[in-house]
Amino acid sequence: MTAPAAGSVPPLVAGQTYQEMKVGSVFRTPARTITETDLVLFRQLVGVSEPLFMDAEHARSVGYTGRLIPGMMVFSYAEGLVLQTNVLHGTGMAFMQTDLSISAPVYVGDTLTVVVEVTESRPASRGNRGVVTTRNTVHNQRDEVVLTYNPVRLIRGGE
């Protein structure tokens, strides 16, 4: 028996086209707990040497109650959670911009999940693609909002 040509076999996972990303649609990502190891590796990877993220006593002295996670790490993990849903698998073309607001601290041991709501979806000015804006709300294990951002992405169109 001959295996089918790769181009004739549909992918197991396919992201949504911009036309499938309807305004008002909402989904929640899986959750992820941030560990001490995650914090140490992220700090080393990006060079974050701020005492708030390295010195628990310093963080306590300015009012934090645990090992504080940098906001840029929370954002990075949130984006990872969104991508792990495969909603953009093979259809995402560019992350064009975002605005971001941090509303509460995140600590080692917190478990994060992201609620994604499509707020705009329109055809791009050229090509078979569209511009999709979402409101991504990051929640901790107590369902408190810790970070909100509104990415604008260029997404492939459907056939």
Side-chain angles (χ1 to χ4, degrees):
M1 177 174 204
T2 305
S8 68
V9 178
L12 179 61
V13 176
Q16 292 183 339
T17 64
Y18 84 88
Q19 295 97 328
E20 294 172 311
M21 295 181 177
K22 305 284 188 202
V23 172
S25 64
V26 180
F27 68 89
R28 180 183 291 268
T29 70
R32 164 95 190 250
T33 300
I34 298 182
T35 67
E36 179 76 20
T37 301
D38 292 331
L39 173 60
V40 169
L41 292 173
F42 185 87
R43 278 191 359 240
Q44 291 175 340
L45 179 66
V46 299
V48 176
S49 60
E50 169 61 40
L52 278 175
F53 312 118
M54 298 175 62
D55 181 344
E57 289 305 313
H58 173 73
R60 263 193 288 286
S61 76
V62 295
Y64 293 106
T65 59
R67 298 281 292 144
L68 192 61
I69 301 297
M72 67 180 100
M73 182 174 167
V74 176
F75 169 72
S76 297
Y77 275 51
E79 273 295 283
L81 288 169
V82 170
L83 293 175
Q84 289 170 29
T85 68
N86 294 313
V87 70
L88 302 172
H89 190 84
T91 57
M93 297 176 69
F95 187 110
M96 297 166 56
Q97 73 137 60
T98 195
D99 58 37
L100 183 142
S101 177
I102 297 170
S103 50
V106 173
Y107 299 102
V108 167
D110 281 355
T111 299
L112 305 178
T113 189
V114 185
V115 175
V116 178
E117 178 184 1
V118 177
T119 58
E120 183 180 354
S121 182
R122 62 174 176 78
S125 58
R126 62 183 173 83
N128 184 19
R129 50 190 160 186
V131 178
V132 177
T133 304
T134 59
R135 178 182 304 109
N136 295 7
T137 308
V138 183
H139 298 254
N140 65 16
Q141 67 277 8
R142 293 177 298 281
D143 206 30
E144 299 164 335
V145 175
V146 298
L147 185 143
T148 304
Y149 64 105
N150 299 291
V152 179
R153 303 177 199 268
L154 188 62
I155 307 292
R156 187 180 316 275
E159 303 283 329

